[in-house]
């Protein structure tokens, strides 16, 4: 429920990366250290034994080797499998997978086997997006808007530009927030660049600033990657580590199937049944951003702006709500002619907060977006920027949608 962020909302709305290029595990063995009464495993590779590391009495060398071999085999140029992938493939608990990976890290297996450090991992994910979503070329000029809290993420995108050979400039937002409008300096920088990457904290009260920033860039024909609230975790293990080529293929298939659709029925096992009228409202995707278009990072959804008075039925929110986070109890929302009419939730605190949000202004309770998440790496964390991309989910936003095709709210 409720999509990210200010460009579609009212005031209230809105494993490892890189390549193991050298080492391949080909055997494992136990070495008993009698004097310390600890078990050790000698990590052997096709290039010889390079490390002896403690694995402890409760983690077998055989299982550790299976984890490592899976990581080696399933990696891509930018993405390594995360904990969930490892646990599912090897039929072990996520806790056990974390334990094994933790030991690998503690005893420097990761470092010695050539796994890049954190900044490199983040830069890999940024490069993944710049190449596969923005199709960045070395002829383009990139403006990166960031702040002090997200400067490391901004640096990751700057490094990605350098890899491609594109010029970039980092603009640091002032410390005094929230911002209300665009400075003359920032407006001038927009005129000098072809691509805008917004990677800064999502600050309450800055919706209007974000809308102005995106709209100004759209009017000038820039490609816009919009990521207020992006976190380092999203780049290290979350939605930014996805195989965007594969997700884009899924998105394009759905876009073809939905072309010309006049209505959608959203139905779930927990009680959602919503009719949405969408005639004349084009579906978009954030998995390919062209000049004069915008999309969120992390990417991984398709969306449209429904006809504002054309939604009727019930929405049962069982995952997350923007400005609230992961819900402890489901929220049932009755919608009539595109507007919220009643909210029911057993958690009084959540219900009161929700009602406060939708009373921000007269359009806050009017439907603004319907979207479908397609990113298998996205996690439900309470951060809408990533939540709405999670594969197998749908999201509904209420509030402003004028920057979306056909949107009038």
């Amino acid at each position: 429920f409720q999509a990210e962020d200010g460009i579609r909302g009212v005031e209230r709305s809105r494993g490892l990366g890189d390549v193991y290029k050298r080492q391949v595990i080909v055997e494992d063995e136990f070495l008993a250290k009698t004097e310390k009464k600890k078990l050790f495993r000698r990590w052997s590779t096709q290039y010889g034994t390079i490390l002896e590391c403690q694995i402890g009495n409760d983690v077998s060398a055989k299982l550790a080797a299976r984890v490592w071999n899976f990581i080696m085999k399933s990696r891509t140029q930018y993405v390594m499998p995360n904990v969930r992938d490892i646990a599912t493939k090897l039929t072990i608990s996520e806790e056990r997978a974390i334990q094994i990976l933790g030991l690998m890290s503690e005893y420097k297996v990761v470092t010695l086997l050539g796994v890049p450090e954190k900044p490199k991992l983040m830069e890999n994910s940024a490069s993944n997006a710049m190449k596969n979503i923005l199709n960045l070329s070395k002829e383009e000029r990139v403006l990166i808007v960031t702040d002090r809290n997200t400067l490391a993420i901004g640096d990751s995108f700057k490094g990605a530009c350098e890899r491609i050979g594109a010029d970039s400039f980092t603009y640091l937002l002032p410390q005094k927030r929230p911002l209300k409008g665009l400075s003359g300096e920032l407006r001038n920088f927009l005129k000098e660049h072809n691509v805008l990457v917004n990677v800064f904290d999502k600050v309450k009260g800055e919706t209007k600033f974000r809308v102005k920033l995106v709209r100004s860039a759209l009017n000038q024909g820039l490609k816009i990657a919009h990521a207020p609230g992006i976190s380092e975790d999203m780049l290290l293990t979350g939605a930014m580590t996805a195989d965007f080529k594969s997700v884009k293929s899924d998105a394009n298939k759905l876009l073809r199937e939905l072309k010309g659709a006049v209505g959608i029925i959203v139905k779930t096992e927990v009680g959602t049944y919503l009719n949405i009228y969408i005639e004349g409202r084009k579906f978009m995707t954030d998995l390919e951003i062209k000049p004069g278009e915008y999309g969120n990072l992390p990417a991984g959804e398709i969306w449209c702006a429904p006809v504002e008075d054309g939604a009727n039925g019930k929405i049962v929110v069982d995952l997350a709500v923007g400005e609230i986070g992961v819900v402890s109890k489901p929220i049932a929302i009755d919608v009539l002619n595109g507007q919220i009419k009643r909210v029911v939730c057993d958690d009084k605190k959540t219900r009161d907060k929700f009602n406060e949000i939708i009373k921000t202004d007269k359009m806050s309770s009017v439907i603004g977006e319907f979207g479908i998440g397609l990113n298998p790496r996205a996690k439900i964390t309470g951060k809408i920027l990533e939540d709405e991309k999670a594969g197998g989910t749908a999201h509904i936003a209420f509030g402003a949608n004028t920057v979306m095709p056909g949107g009038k709210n």
Side-chain angles (χ1 to χ4, degrees), residues 12-127:
R12 53 74 177 116
S13 73
R14 271 312 253 177
L16 299 177
D18 206 12
V19 188
Y20 291 84
K21 295 182 178 178
R22 302 188 296 279
Q23 316 297 349
V24 178
I25 302 299
V26 294
E27 60 175 297
D28 61 45
E29 60 178 291
F30 279 112
L31 294 178
K33 294 293 184 180
T34 307
E35 69 277 12
K36 295 184 178 180
K37 295 183 180 180
K38 292 181 179 178
L39 293 175
F40 284 72
R41 181 195 182 284
R42 188 180 299 279
W43 293 85
S44 302
T45 76
Q46 61 185 354
Y47 296 101
T49 300
I50 63 167
L51 180 68
E52 186 178 291
C53 77
Q54 179 183 357
I55 57 173
N57 293 318
D58 59 342
V59 179
S60 73
K62 187 76 172 179
L63 181 56
R66 286 178 63 208
V67 169
W68 194 249
N69 283 325
F70 173 66
I71 291 173
M72 302 284 284
K73 291 175 182 178
S74 58
R75 62 169 174 75
T76 68
Q77 184 177 1
Y78 300 107
V79 178
M80 298 301 286
N82 59 25
V83 169
R84 182 170 50 193
D85 296 330
I86 294 168
T88 301
K89 180 66 177 180
L90 301 183
T91 60
I92 60 177
S93 68
E94 291 190 9
E95 290 74 15
R96 178 57 78 104
I98 291 170
Q99 181 185 23
I100 295 170
L101 292 172
L103 288 167
M104 290 177 178
S105 176
E106 181 180 353
Y107 288 91
K108 308 302 181 184
V109 176
V110 168
T111 300
L112 294 180
L113 289 186
V115 181
E117 296 179 355
K118 183 176 176 180
K120 183 71 173 296
L121 297 175
M122 291 167 60
E123 189 175 304
N124 293 336
S125 294
S127 296

Side-chain angles (χ1 to χ4, degrees), residues 299-339:
E301 64 167 317
I302 65 169
W303 73 83
C304 77
V307 175
E308 286 72 18
D309 60 356
N312 291 280
K314 176 181 285 188
I315 304 167
V316 179
V317 183
D318 58 339
L319 290 178
V321 178
E323 305 299 333
I324 292 178
V326 177
V327 297
S328 58
K329 299 285 186 180
I331 305 172
I333 306 160
D334 291 334
V335 179
L336 179 65
N337 296 329
Q339 190 161 13

Side-chain angles (χ1 to χ4, degrees), residues 136-142 161-168:
L136 185 67
S137 69
K138 61 183 180 180
E139 290 79 23
E140 292 179 299
R141 301 182 304 281
V142 182
C161 293
E162 291 174 355
R163 289 189 189 185
I164 296 169
D167 290 335
S168 66

Side-chain angles (χ1 to χ4, degrees), residues 88-225:
T88 301
K89 180 66 177 180
L90 301 183
T91 60
I92 60 177
S93 68
E94 291 190 9
E95 290 74 15
R96 178 57 78 104
I98 291 170
Q99 181 185 23
I100 295 170
L101 292 172
L103 288 167
M104 290 177 178
S105 176
E106 181 180 353
Y107 288 91
K108 308 302 181 184
V109 176
V110 168
T111 300
L112 294 180
L113 289 186
V115 181
E117 296 179 355
K118 183 176 176 180
K120 183 71 173 296
L121 297 175
M122 291 167 60
E123 189 175 304
N124 293 336
S125 294
S127 296
N128 183 21
M130 297 301 276
K131 290 179 179 179
N132 295 311
I133 295 175
L134 287 114
N135 298 310
L136 185 67
S137 69
K138 61 183 180 180
E139 290 79 23
E140 292 179 299
R141 301 182 304 281
V142 182
L143 176 62
I144 302 166
V145 179
T146 186
D147 58 28
R148 285 164 178 79
N149 292 333
T150 57
L151 189 56
I153 298 175
D155 287 344
S156 299
F157 280 90
K158 188 172 184 64
C161 293
E162 291 174 355
R163 289 189 189 185
I164 296 169
D167 290 335
S168 66
F169 178 81
T170 300
Y171 181 89
L172 198 64
L173 292 175
Q175 283 186 287
K176 189 176 180 180
R177 311 273 291 273
L179 301 173
K180 299 300 183 182
L182 302 187
S183 67
E185 182 181 44
L186 184 51
R187 289 182 186 276
N188 288 334
F189 280 128
L190 289 174
K191 295 175 183 178
E192 298 171 2
H193 294 83
N194 313 103
V195 180
L196 172 64
V197 177
N198 294 327
V199 284
F200 45 76
D201 269 351
K202 184 181 179 183
V203 175
K204 186 176 181 180
E206 277 194 347
T207 299
K208 291 181 180 179
F209 162 74
R210 295 192 295 264
V211 170
K212 289 177 181 178
L213 177 58
V214 170
R215 185 169 288 137
S216 181
L218 283 174
N219 291 339
Q220 296 178 51
L222 277 69
K223 300 178 185 176
I224 306 162

